[in-house]
Amino acid sequence: MIVQINQSLKKLNTFGIDQKAERLIWAQSTDEVLDYIKHYDAPKLVLGGGSNILLTKNIEGDVLKIDIHGRKVVYEDDDVVHVKLGAGENWHEAVLWTLSRGWAGLENLSLIPGNCGTAPVQNIGAYGVELKDVFVSCEGINLKDKTHFNLALDDIKFGYRDSIFKGVWKNKAIITWVTLKLTKRNHNLKVSYGAIQNELTQAEILEPTPKEISNAIISIRESKLPDPAKLGNSGSFFKNPIVPAELAEKLVGQYPDLPCYDAADGKKIAAGWLIEKAGWKGHREGDAGVHKKQALVLVNYGKATGTQLLTLSQKIITDIQEKFEVLLEAEVNLL
Ligand code: EPU
């Protein structure tokens, strides 16, 4: 276990916010996580890839950085392969690794920032695929009992950007390994999104391979989502709200081009559209801003503080509620 004192977290969160940890502890195995928990109890913050947090203050106490690496095949037959990924593995690099072996399932989830261990927490999703579609199980440490856990698909209660780890298990578990099920043949490719179709048509690809779909997704994401290495951000800052059908109908009546999709308990509408319509796209307050190409993404032009970004997000929430009667909710964890 490596321990660093009074350490800046700037390089460990994709917003690039310069807040400090009183102690930053790097755990490189499940046993190190367990040892830490047995000695010190729960840390103030468990840090994965830092791609879904907004730090608004220094962390007075311990930050446990999960730095567990490894990619293992744990089951294989003629059709499928199960791969077990360390929680500290970079998500996109793991995606590329699976594709380079000819395995499919993660192509639509290419270029999502963050690490493998946090992927189940918010059930990462893009272009018609969510983590739950490939999920087998995950293991880790239960912070209360200080014991190992192993949870299967049905235990996790996946929903839209949601799981048990944001519900009853919130702050109660540290994921150390994730196992995913990929296909070796008879792939179930999802290319129905218009943007994917456009990319493939432009490249004159009629029957895409998983790798070609990944390339298309990378190109789409690069065209509208900022690269955190160049412009601090944490992807979609807000969730797409699920609203009652009556409200959705009223809004679509007023704004026929508002994107609106069926959801289990109402209609899901595009928060990016609402924010753009309200005039926030490209808006900037100091170094905190709304991305010029995707209004759902807040960006740090350099020296924004977490509080400045939080204030901006709150102004947007208030304005959207006033204009459309829709309450936006942050997707990002606020600290
Ligand atoms: N839209 C606008 N203006 C904007 C942004 C979006 O009008 O500034 C409209 C688009 O034209 C489109 C609709 O809203 O009709 C949806 O936009 P888009 O396809 O860009 O996706 P999104 O709903 O804004 C979600 C995810 C993304 C994911 C994409 C693609 C959430 C909160 N976000 O964004 O995930 O990549 O779909 O599947 O569900 C993330 O979670 O960090 C993330 C980037």
Side-chain angles (χ1 to χ4, degrees):
M1 230 178 318
I2 298 165
V3 181
Q4 296 171 306
I5 307 295
N6 205 20
Q7 191 70 23
S8 169
L9 298 173
K10 188 171 162 62
K11 294 210 169 84
L12 298 182
N13 71 98
T14 58
F15 255 128
I17 303 289
D18 195 6
Q19 296 286 2
K20 288 196 171 95
E22 197 173 336
R23 290 207 313 168
L24 175 63
I25 294 140
W26 297 71
Q28 285 163 330
S29 66
T30 307
D31 284 345
E32 284 195 357
V33 173
L34 191 55
D35 278 354
Y36 173 89
I37 300 302
K38 283 188 169 160
H39 275 95
Y40 301 107
D41 257 348
K44 272 274 160 51
L45 172 67
V46 179
L47 191 57
S51 63
N52 210 35
I53 54 165
L54 179 63
L55 292 168
T56 58
K57 52 181 187 285
N58 288 329
I59 307 293
E60 311 288 343
D62 287 354
V63 172
L64 189 64
K65 166 79 180 162
I66 307 304
D67 193 31
I68 300 171
H69 290 271
R71 303 167 185 165
K72 309 172 191 174
V73 172
V74 289
Y75 172 81
E76 188 167 14
D77 61 27
D78 289 344
D79 297 309
V80 302
V81 57
H82 290 193
V83 293
K84 187 171 164 178
L85 302 165
E89 288 285 321
N90 173 273
W91 174 261
H92 182 58
E93 283 168 22
V95 170
L96 293 180
W97 173 74
T98 62
L99 290 167
S100 72
R101 272 152 185 77
W103 304 329
L106 305 186
E107 54 282 349
N108 291 44
L109 302 177
S110 297
L111 212 62
I112 294 184
N115 289 352
C116 294
T118 32
V121 177
Q122 59 152 346
N123 185 22
I124 58 169
Y127 303 101
V129 175
E130 290 183 328
L131 186 82
K132 71 168 172 49
D133 302 329
V134 290
F135 185 87
V136 175
S137 63
C138 67
E139 56 190 79
I141 302 297
N142 181 316
L143 293 174
K144 197 160 157 260
D145 309 345
K146 305 188 180 187
T147 51
H148 286 100
F149 70 78
N150 196 336
L151 294 178
L153 178 61
D154 287 345
D155 303 322
I156 312 272
K157 315 266 179 271
F158 282 121
Y160 166 59
R161 294 294 190 274
D162 201 23
S163 74
I164 193 170
F165 300 111
K166 290 177 95 174
V168 290
W169 277 50
K170 191 175 163 92
N171 299 330
K172 291 194 181 128
I174 295 178
I175 296 169
T176 54
W177 291 88
V178 177
T179 302
L180 306 177
K181 179 178 166 179
L182 308 172
T183 50
K184 292 167 69 177
R185 59 183 187 188
N186 300 325
H187 307 310
N188 178 18
L189 304 178
K190 300 228 170 100
V191 291
S192 62
Y193 265 58
I196 304 180
Q197 288 294 341
N198 291 345
E199 279 292 323
L200 294 173
T201 310
Q202 263 181 28
E204 295 180 17
I205 296 168
L206 290 175
E207 288 188 26
T209 63
K211 179 69 184 160
E212 284 167 338
I213 296 172
S214 166
N215 289 342
I217 304 274
I218 290 171
S219 152
I220 298 165
R221 290 187 76 98
E222 283 178 340
S223 73
K224 53 181 172 184
L225 294 170
D227 176 356
K230 297 184 189 135
L231 186 61
N233 76 91
S234 88
S236 301
F237 191 91
F238 303 101
K239 290 191 226 179
N240 284 325
I242 295 170
V243 301
E246 305 82 66
L247 176 59
E249 272 162 34
K250 185 180 136 190
L251 287 169
V252 172
Q254 237 174 319
Y255 309 103
D257 57 335
L258 168 66
C260 179
Y261 319 92
D262 285 334
D265 35 5
K267 298 271 183 187
K268 194 199 272 185
I269 54 177
W273 188 96
L274 298 176
I275 299 169
E276 177 174 349
K277 188 78 181 170
W280 290 96
K281 197 174 188 175
H283 175 85
R284 183 169 170 172
E285 294 183 2
D287 271 358
V290 180
H291 188 47
K292 290 184 182 122
K293 298 181 190 160
Q294 220 308 2
L296 208 46
V297 177
L298 298 191
V299 293
N300 173 9
Y301 284 101
K303 291 204 163 65
T305 63
T307 308
Q308 284 167 335
L309 282 155
L310 183 63
T311 304
L312 175 59
S313 77
Q314 285 161 342
K315 286 186 190 171
I316 295 172
I317 290 174
T318 306
D319 190 43
I320 297 302
Q321 187 157 34
E322 280 171 11
K323 291 198 167 105
F324 305 105
E325 297 168 56
V326 174
L327 182 64
L328 292 184
E329 203 187 314
E331 185 198 284
V332 170
N333 294 310
L334 311 171
L335 286 166

